[in-house]
Amino acid sequence: MDLKETIASWLAALPCEAREVDDPNVDWRYEIRYPARRPDHIMHVAGVPGPAPSIVIVSVTRLSERHRQRYDGLPDDEKRVFLFGLRHTLNRPEVDFELRGPGGLECPEAFQVSVRRFADGLSLDSFAFSLGAVYKAELSTIWFIQESLDQDPTTAPVFFDFEGADIPEA
């Protein structure tokens, strides 16, 4: 069984919905709704082209307009504190992250959480762990943003959009 077939069988065994999507930048890509109890949450699993067979698991979350407006209203010193906290929340040994946007003290438009796994270290267990690690890093970051930018984060509705991912090149 090749890597794509292996991943497809593992996705079928996990609590998610998966569908293959066309993407000329990768060998293959599945858009998945993970975990099953969050049908609005989209992640991607793709085969990364290159000499060493590997996959990347990616999730991208766009900040809401409301959060961007609240961020823009902060004084510069509070923006620095927020950005430090955001990076600190995203920085985990199991995953990589990228903030998308203009940079500097401008509000990030989105954040991407990903993990790359090479075929020689992949098992169903490590694959499921990596899916969970990406999701939990993303969820912790959403909670941080809500806690930092919502007046009452315990009752605020979630205004995050989950979007497509740019798969990093090998």
Side-chain angles (χ1 to χ4, degrees):
M1 193 176 334
D2 70 1
L3 187 55
K4 179 182 175 184
E5 292 169 343
T6 300
I7 296 299
S9 70
W10 290 346
L11 288 170
L14 295 171
C16 66
E17 294 176 28
R19 71 177 183 93
E20 190 169 358
V21 294
D22 290 329
D23 187 336
N25 300 312
V26 295
D27 291 338
W28 46 265
R29 185 196 312 210
Y30 291 103
E31 179 182 279
I32 63 172
R33 298 190 181 282
Y34 176 90
R37 66 186 180 282
R38 291 291 314 266
D40 61 331
H41 181 255
I42 297 170
M43 296 173 67
H44 301 268
V45 179
V48 179
S54 65
I55 65 162
V56 64
I57 300 168
V58 183
S59 189
V60 178
T61 306
R62 195 164 38 109
L63 278 71
S64 72
E65 183 62 31
R66 182 173 105 187
H67 289 134
R68 288 193 299 270
Q69 287 174 353
R70 290 210 172 136
Y71 176 89
D72 290 341
L74 296 174
D76 285 354
D77 59 334
E78 289 183 34
K79 288 179 181 178
R80 284 184 191 88
V81 169
F82 173 82
L83 290 171
F84 177 82
L86 183 64
R87 288 184 186 97
H88 187 266
T89 302
L90 283 162
N91 189 27
R92 297 166 178 243
E94 307 86 18
V95 299
D96 297 314
F97 75 90
E98 174 186 332
L99 295 179
R100 294 184 177 183
L105 285 181
E106 296 296 316
C107 184
E109 296 165 0
F111 62 91
Q112 175 176 299
V113 180
S114 64
V115 64
R116 186 168 179 190
R117 300 298 312 250
F118 290 88
D120 65 342
L122 267 174
S123 65
L124 174 55
D125 183 64
S126 67
F127 178 69
F129 177 85
S130 295
L131 277 174
V134 169
Y135 178 70
K136 289 172 186 167
E138 181 181 35
L139 188 59
S140 292
T141 305
I142 288 171
W143 289 340
F144 170 79
I145 292 167
Q146 286 181 307
E147 182 178 58
S148 301
L149 299 177
D150 281 328
Q151 292 174 359
D152 184 358
T154 61
T155 61
V158 177
F159 287 102
F160 294 90
D161 295 322
F162 303 104
E163 61 183 38
D166 295 327
I167 305 299
E169 294 183 19

